[in-house]
Amino acid sequence: MSVSASSSSPSPVPVLSEKQVDNLLAAKEDEHGGVIVEMSTTQPPMDPIVFTSLLKASILHWKQQGKRGVWIKLPIELVNLIEPVVKEGFYYHHAEPKHLMLVHWIPETTNTLPANASHRVGIGAFVMNENGEVLVVQEKSGKFQGTGIWKFPTGVVDEGEDICSAAVREVKEETGIDTKFVEILAFRQSHKSFFDKSDLFFMCMLQPLSFNIQMQEREIEAAQWMSFEEYASQEFVQKHDLLRYIAKLCIAKRDGKYSGFSPVPTITSFSNKPSNLYFNTKDFDFNSS
Amino acid sequence: MSVSASSSSPSPVPVLSEKQVDNLLAAKEDEHGGVIVEMSTTQPPMDPIVFTSLLKASILHWKQQGKRGVWIKLPIELVNLIEPVVKEGFYYHHAEPKHLMLVHWIPETTNTLPANASHRVGIGAFVMNENGEVLVVQEKSGKFQGTGIWKFPTGVVDEGEDICSAAVREVKEETGIDTKFVEILAFRQSHKSFFDKSDLFFMCMLQPLSFNIQMQEREIEAAQWMSFEEYASQEFVQKHDLLRYIAKLCIAKRDGKYSGFSPVPTITSFSNKPSNLYFNTKDFDFNSS
């Protein structure tokens, strides 16, 4: 099955001999009756026409085996193999900077493939010291650059990161302050945050464990402890009802009059993976039957 | 700039004359100092080599203009243009079934491009009638197929959909029951839910507004109102601490001893878009200053 890599004129797909049918793409079975092919850049480069033959034979094989979803993961270095995969009936499932995942549903039945990720997740951090001062920053870039607005530290939850860990990490990165996660005071869901994707923003309360600010130069213009009243009286806070609500929740929390959601570690049912369940633990009787 | 579409031998990139520099890819400016090119399938098909020339000239132009992020959205029909885009230094940002979004950061400075979506969002629905019976279903597919397990209705939040709307929609779709959203009792974050993506699952309480079940044949094997005690005593619920916690929260809520988070519509600050802020409204004094 040697085909010149330089030829790009369309050629009829060769009928594979029995021997050649043995020559299939390496695939792992998944837990849902499907298979996943992870193409690697460490293998010798593959000609798109050779690849197409292998793919056609493999799909036939998987079909005969009664497989359902077929996944193909292509690193960006193998960008030349995307077109042959799409021509065999695959579509895109998701992409990360350095790879594209394509999928093809073999059966006639409605596909039960998992939906793509739809939300980005961010955090904001309410950190108050014993003097009733709150930790605030000015950002070097973005829409608040140069505005002089003091805001709570915020950031994006990394892939695979717990919300509570992300809040502690972002505060440490931006200000050098060590903290302990207390609870989620509120969260906001918004849409079309970037292209058609949505956004979940979790407003977290953290307890400071250190007090000397060491500002991150790359992202942060300024950082300080500021009286809560001074923070809340900024025109920027007063004129946005979202920020006014959050400021009121912070005050109610400070005064012991508010309960948010705290993380409780559980084993995710069915998959045996640890995960956090966040709920109002103050209202919850852990000892009830 | 006419180049034969059938030639695929590498050719040196032509130096564009001043006249040709006018011949650029159509782009819209975004709000962050960047541009977005949305390639369309309604345009005449474009040869990859012609496209490469246009792209090179366009990048030069955007660079001179001081543009930052350059986005190119390619519908799956234009799969043959992905390779030329990647060769010009773009990488993948995200993909949906029928398109791929690529991005290139022009400046020398650290890129401030938005992170890709990292989480899928799902809901579960606790719906109890006045007899203390809870709405439960058996699923036709997935890991609960054929197990005889009765579970709360669950589903995935659609792109751009509010969590509270998704809960009402899923209950209606699966059981025909009309409901009113009450509050979020708890949520769970778990990781590596599919590939490297994470999952946020919101357990919602809904109040039933109708009572005659009309089951959806496609996804649901059976649906009924069941005494809460019977639901909670299933071995499946008892042996998973996550489900035991949720059952206890439901009982505490039924007995008026628990407060979750309710949605309050706000205008998203800075962008003037409506969004919901979810918090413990029972603990919140809306009239305080």
Side-chain angles (χ1 to χ4, degrees):
Chain A
M1 206 158 57
S2 114
V3 181
S4 159
S6 62
S7 154
S8 73
S9 61
S11 58
V13 179
V15 176
L16 296 173
S17 71
E18 272 191 319
K19 181 152 176 286
Q20 282 171 318
V21 170
D22 291 338
N23 204 357
L24 302 172
L25 291 170
K28 286 182 202 156
E29 304 205 344
D30 68 21
E31 293 167 15
H32 309 283
V35 292
I36 172 163
V37 177
E38 293 205 30
M39 296 297 292
S40 162
T41 52
T42 60
Q43 294 158 346
M46 194 179 284
D47 176 83
I49 295 174
V50 175
F51 177 74
T52 299
S53 292
L54 281 172
L55 182 57
K56 280 181 191 286
S58 302
I59 292 174
L60 194 64
H61 175 69
W62 295 322
K63 203 167 183 172
Q64 287 164 348
Q65 285 191 313
K67 295 298 179 197
R68 293 146 53 95
V70 177
W71 302 88
I72 298 186
K73 183 177 176 179
L74 289 177
I76 197 164
E77 293 82 1
L78 302 182
V79 60
N80 63 322
L81 301 184
I82 299 175
E83 191 172 355
V85 174
V86 168
K87 285 189 172 159
E88 293 309 314
F90 284 67
Y91 61 85
Y92 311 140
H93 188 270
H94 64 271
E96 295 301 323
K98 297 294 181 191
H99 75 258
L100 176 64
M101 183 72 84
L102 297 108
V103 70
H104 174 55
W105 181 251
I106 294 180
E108 300 289 318
T109 56
T110 310
N111 95 51
T112 57
L113 298 168
N116 192 4
S118 53
H119 286 64
R120 185 172 48 173
V121 179
I123 58 89
F126 167 54
V127 186
M128 186 176 267
N129 67 20
E130 291 186 349
N131 302 326
E133 293 168 324
V134 66
L135 185 62
V136 290
V137 299
Q138 291 185 353
E139 292 176 354
K140 264 197 175 154
S141 62
K143 57 183 73 162
F144 302 115
Q145 181 186 358
T147 57
I149 289 168
W150 292 99
K151 55 189 284 295
F152 293 158
T154 55
V156 175
V157 176
D158 286 339
E159 189 169 272
E161 187 178 35
D162 288 334
I163 294 164
C164 48
S165 309
V168 170
R169 174 184 56 74
E170 282 287 352
V171 170
K172 178 71 178 176
E173 280 178 11
E174 292 192 358
T175 68
I177 300 294
D178 294 305
T179 56
K180 183 186 158 197
F181 186 85
V182 179
E183 67 180 33
I184 287 170
L185 300 178
F187 67 87
R188 183 199 63 185
Q189 186 192 25
S190 54
H191 301 301
K192 293 199 179 285
S193 154
F194 60 107
F195 306 108
D196 289 327
K197 300 293 184 179
S198 300
D199 194 279
L200 278 163
F201 175 83
F202 291 86
M203 191 63 219
C204 304
M205 185 193 187
L206 306 170
Q207 183 194 332
L209 302 175
S210 71
F211 302 92
N212 288 324
I213 292 173
Q214 289 189 301
M215 197 180 79
Q216 184 199 48
E217 300 286 340
R218 192 167 61 82
E219 291 179 24
I220 302 299
E221 186 65 45
Q224 66 166 327
W225 293 102
M226 174 186 261
S227 87
F228 190 85
E229 289 64 31
E230 196 179 338
Y231 162 78
S233 66
Q234 292 179 99
E235 190 196 341
F236 167 72
V237 175
Q238 285 302 316
K239 78 178 183 189
H240 290 112
D241 53 355
L242 180 77
L243 296 179
R244 274 203 320 277
Y245 275 124
I246 288 175
K248 283 164 86 170
L249 292 177
C250 292
I251 288 300
K253 185 69 203 173
R254 178 194 69 183
D255 298 343
K257 294 177 181 165
Y258 183 80
S259 301
F261 282 2
S262 303
V264 173
T266 65
I267 298 295
T268 299
S269 19
F270 344 127
S271 65
N272 266 348
K273 281 185 295 188
S275 64
N276 283 315
L277 184 67
Y278 292 79
F279 57 94
N280 182 345
T281 52
K282 193 178 158 197
D283 279 4
F284 187 78
D285 180 0
F286 280 89
N287 298 315
S288 76
S289 63
Chain B
M1 207 158 54
S2 116
V3 182
S4 161
S6 62
S7 153
S8 73
S9 61
S11 57
V13 179
V15 176
L16 297 172
S17 71
E18 271 192 320
K19 181 152 177 286
Q20 283 170 317
V21 170
D22 290 338
N23 204 358
L24 302 173
L25 291 169
K28 285 183 202 157
E29 306 205 342
D30 68 21
E31 293 166 15
H32 308 284
V35 292
I36 172 164
V37 176
E38 293 204 31
M39 296 298 292
S40 161
T41 53
T42 59
Q43 294 157 346
M46 194 180 284
D47 176 83
I49 295 174
V50 175
F51 177 74
T52 300
S53 292
L54 280 172
L55 182 56
K56 281 182 190 286
S58 301
I59 292 174
L60 194 64
H61 175 69
W62 295 321
K63 203 167 182 172
Q64 286 165 349
Q65 285 191 314
K67 295 298 177 196
R68 292 146 53 95
V70 178
W71 301 87
I72 298 187
K73 183 177 176 179
L74 289 177
I76 196 164
E77 294 82 1
L78 302 183
V79 61
N80 63 323
L81 301 185
I82 298 175
E83 191 172 354
V85 174
V86 168
K87 284 189 171 159
E88 293 309 315
F90 284 67
Y91 61 86
Y92 310 140
H93 188 270
H94 64 271
E96 296 301 324
K98 298 294 181 192
H99 75 259
L100 176 65
M101 183 72 83
L102 297 108
V103 70
H104 174 55
W105 181 253
I106 295 180
E108 301 289 318
T109 56
T110 310
N111 94 52
T112 57
L113 298 168
N116 191 4
S118 53
H119 286 64
R120 184 173 49 174
V121 179
I123 59 88
F126 167 54
V127 186
M128 186 176 266
N129 67 21
E130 289 186 350
N131 302 325
E133 292 167 325
V134 66
L135 186 61
V136 290
V137 299
Q138 291 184 353
E139 292 175 355
K140 264 197 176 154
S141 62
K143 57 184 73 163
F144 302 115
Q145 182 185 357
T147 58
I149 289 168
W150 292 99
K151 56 190 285 295
F152 293 158
T154 55
V156 175
V157 175
D158 286 339
E159 189 170 271
E161 188 178 34
D162 288 333
I163 293 164
C164 48
S165 310
V168 170
R169 174 184 56 74
E170 283 286 352
V171 170
K172 178 72 176 176
E173 280 178 8
E174 293 192 357
T175 69
I177 300 294
D178 294 304
T179 56
K180 183 185 160 201
F181 186 86
V182 179
E183 67 180 33
I184 287 170
L185 300 179
F187 68 87
R188 183 200 62 186
Q189 186 192 25
S190 53
H191 301 302
K192 294 202 177 284
S193 153
F194 59 106
F195 305 108
D196 288 328
K197 300 294 185 179
S198 301
D199 194 279
L200 277 163
F201 175 82
F202 290 86
M203 190 62 219
C204 303
M205 185 192 186
L206 306 171
Q207 182 192 335
L209 301 175
S210 71
F211 302 92
N212 288 324
I213 291 174
Q214 289 189 303
M215 197 179 77
Q216 185 199 47
E217 300 286 340
R218 191 166 61 83
E219 289 178 24
I220 303 298
E221 187 65 45
Q224 66 167 327
W225 294 101
M226 175 186 261
S227 87
F228 190 84
E229 289 65 30
E230 197 179 338
Y231 162 77
S233 66
Q234 294 179 99
E235 190 196 342
F236 167 72
V237 176
Q238 285 302 316
K239 79 177 181 190
H240 289 113
D241 54 354
L242 180 77
L243 295 179
R244 274 204 320 278
Y245 274 124
I246 288 175
K248 284 165 87 172
L249 293 177
C250 291
I251 289 300
K253 185 69 204 173
R254 178 194 69 183
D255 298 343
K257 293 178 182 164
Y258 184 81
S259 302
F261 282 2
S262 303
V264 173
T266 65
I267 298 295
T268 298
S269 21
F270 344 125
S271 65
N272 265 347
K273 283 186 294 190
S275 64
N276 282 314
L277 184 67
Y278 292 79
F279 57 93
N280 182 345
T281 53
K282 194 178 158 198
D283 279 4
F284 187 79
D285 179 1
F286 280 90
N287 298 316
S288 76
S289 64

